Amino acid sequence: MPLAESPQWRQKATNFFSSSSFKLKQAGQSAGDNIADVAGKVGSVVKSRWAVFQEARQRQPPPGETVQERFISAAATTGVLLRKGISETKEKVAVGKVKVEEAAKKTADKSKTILNNIERWQKGVASTDVFGVPIEATVQREQSGKAVPLVLVRCADYLVISGLSNEYLFKSEGEKKVLQQLVSLYNEDSGAPLPDGVNPIDVAALIKCYLASIPEPLTTFSLYDELRDARVSIADLRNILKKLPNVNYMTLEFVTALLLRVSRKSSLNKMDSRSLAVEFAPLIMWQQGDSGTDLRNHLRFTLKAPPKIVDTTSNTTEWDLLDEDDVDASSQIPLDDASPPDYSSIEVIQSLIEHHNAIFTDANETVWR
């Protein structure tokens, strides 16, 4: 007849092994899903060992061995399993702690970026901004050796390589949130390359947004009347444009050279020189005191909101907490159909595109392969 273990020992063993699985799993769940999995496995081991103990208790022990001794031996082997499981759990906890610290630091850095962006947009212009800043100040600060803002160079090079055939290039509107991201990118680093896979339509819209943002047109206020009166004379246009500051002259040559390339693909992109002139005249030539054409105000409105900061590791972004409903803001802009186009400016820009090489004889440096 087997020796019976004492009620006190049996109760303690039952309580310990029966509750260990639940406690370990509960503790693991409080530390995270991965840790809970490890703790659950340890708990399962405990349960299985206790089942073995109960089965062994019903069998006849070998000579000289009591049930209590069997419990002690089994508890010792179980202790090894528990220590191994607990060690694995601690390692998971350590890894989890590091991940939490990394996430906290990442969140803090992003929060700082958000606050900086808010502050910059509240002030209107930051020291590194290129949008909304006089063009000469931008070129002088960049010190790139070019008399053209780098954002225009990056965009034009991209379009010449991969975007000239897109239908309604420079007429189709870009995506507002993408434009805000690109503006933020170039306000922080004017020499940055364009992101991989960016849509040519958005790149073209970024050029228009830049020209709409500068406080004075490329043709300057002082030459508006002269250019308007000389719009049909190539020789007069050439002589008048020589009065422009060098940065304005070189940038105007650069932009119209790009538009000439676009117009040569009009059979594909459906944008001839007239269509391009209609799009760009309000952005290149306007009178002093002009509060802004519909197009220029529309593009400025596009850039008004703070730029969205994309977190590629998450489905949500910090700006989602600040943005209103995800709607196309351009639909909220009432266009004033009563405001007539400036046909004189359109004719000037069309002439600059069609007769580019004859007008900019001193600046035929813009060559794309």
Side-chain angles (χ1 to χ4, degrees):
M1 180 178 180
L3 296 174
E5 67 273 21
S6 68
Q8 184 180 7
W9 168 261
R10 180 177 179 181
Q11 185 62 41
K12 286 182 179 180
T14 300
N15 291 341
F16 173 76
F17 290 112
S18 297
S19 63
S20 291
S21 174
F22 174 77
K23 289 183 178 179
L24 282 170
K25 191 169 185 179
Q26 186 180 49
Q29 287 174 337
S30 66
D33 293 338
N34 292 335
I35 302 170
D37 291 340
V38 176
K41 292 177 181 178
V42 176
S44 298
V45 171
V46 173
K47 279 186 175 181
S48 64
R49 295 301 296 181
W50 176 233
V52 172
F53 295 158
Q54 289 181 317
E55 182 181 353
R57 186 166 55 85
Q58 303 299 324
R59 296 198 306 266
Q60 179 70 28
E65 181 179 357
T66 66
V67 174
Q68 184 169 339
E69 288 173 340
R70 292 206 306 276
F71 269 112
I72 292 173
S73 175
T77 59
T78 301
V80 174
L81 294 173
L82 282 173
R83 283 193 294 273
K84 182 180 178 182
I86 291 172
S87 175
E88 292 178 358
T89 302
K90 286 183 177 179
E91 291 176 1
K92 291 288 185 178
V93 171
V95 172
K97 182 180 179 182
V98 171
K99 289 183 178 179
V100 169
E101 291 175 350
E102 290 177 351
K105 184 178 183 300
K106 189 175 181 181
T107 300
D109 291 341
K110 288 179 182 177
S111 298
K112 183 178 179 181
T113 302
I114 292 172
L115 293 175
N116 287 341
N117 282 334
I118 292 175
E119 183 179 1
R120 289 172 60 213
W121 279 87
Q122 285 178 337
K123 290 181 178 179
V125 175
S127 59
T128 60
D129 284 355
V130 296
F131 285 78
V133 176
I135 189 170
E136 287 190 4
T138 296
V139 171
Q140 183 178 6
R141 185 177 63 240
E142 290 175 341
Q143 296 183 344
S144 65
K146 298 180 180 293
V148 179
L150 289 177
V151 61
L152 295 181
V153 175
R154 296 284 187 269
C155 292
D157 288 348
Y158 183 88
L159 291 177
V160 168
I161 293 173
S162 59
L164 295 183
S165 298
N166 280 259
E167 283 193 357
Y168 302 111
L169 190 69
F170 288 115
K171 184 174 183 179
S172 298
E173 293 185 9
E175 185 178 342
K176 179 185 175 184
K177 288 186 178 181
V178 173
L179 290 174
Q180 290 176 351
Q181 293 169 31
L182 292 174
V183 169
S184 178
L185 171 67
Y186 283 104
N187 275 341
E188 293 174 2
D189 180 6
S190 61
L194 284 163
D196 293 337
V198 65
N199 191 330
I201 296 298
D202 293 325
V203 176
L206 186 66
I207 292 177
K208 294 171 67 176
C209 286
Y210 175 77
L211 295 176
S213 75
I214 56 179
E216 186 173 5
L218 291 180
T219 55
T220 70
F221 294 129
S222 61
L223 295 182
Y224 176 85
D225 291 332
E226 289 185 63
L227 289 171
R228 184 190 58 186
D229 295 339
R231 59 187 180 276
V232 294
S233 170
I234 294 176
D236 288 346
L237 286 173
R238 180 169 57 240
N239 292 330
I240 294 170
L241 291 179
K242 289 180 180 179
K243 300 178 184 180
L244 288 172
N246 184 59
V247 170
N248 293 59
Y249 183 84
M250 296 302 294
T251 302
L252 181 61
E253 185 276 330
F254 184 87
V255 171
T256 51
L258 173 63
L259 298 182
L260 176 61
R261 289 291 296 266
V262 174
S263 68
R264 289 173 176 172
K265 295 277 189 179
S266 60
S267 60
L268 298 174
N269 58 41
K270 297 181 172 55
M271 294 297 291
D272 57 18
S273 59
R274 180 68 177 184
S275 299
L276 292 167
V278 169
E279 294 296 321
F280 275 85
L283 310 176
I284 291 177
M285 182 177 173
W286 71 86
Q287 300 183 71
Q288 189 168 14
D290 181 0
S291 59
T293 62
D294 294 334
L295 176 60
R296 204 160 70 250
N297 284 335
H298 171 70
L299 293 173
R300 286 172 177 171
F301 183 89
T302 299
L303 304 181
K304 186 176 181 181
K308 175 180 174 183
I309 302 172
V310 176
D311 179 7
T312 57
T313 64
S314 173
N315 293 327
T316 59
T317 62
E318 290 81 359
W319 284 117
D320 289 339
L321 302 176
L322 303 178
D323 285 346
E324 296 179 354
D325 294 339
D326 188 12
V327 296
D328 182 2
S330 63
S331 63
Q332 303 171 7
I333 304 174
L335 297 181
D336 184 6
D337 295 332
S339 177
D342 186 343
Y343 290 108
S344 296
S345 296
I346 292 173
E347 290 181 17
V348 170
I349 302 306
Q350 185 175 355
S351 294
L352 297 184
I353 296 172
E354 293 178 349
H355 307 291
H356 174 273
N357 295 338
I359 293 174
F360 294 97
T361 54
D362 298 332
N364 287 331
E365 299 178 3
T366 302
V367 177
W368 289 282
R369 295 180 180 179

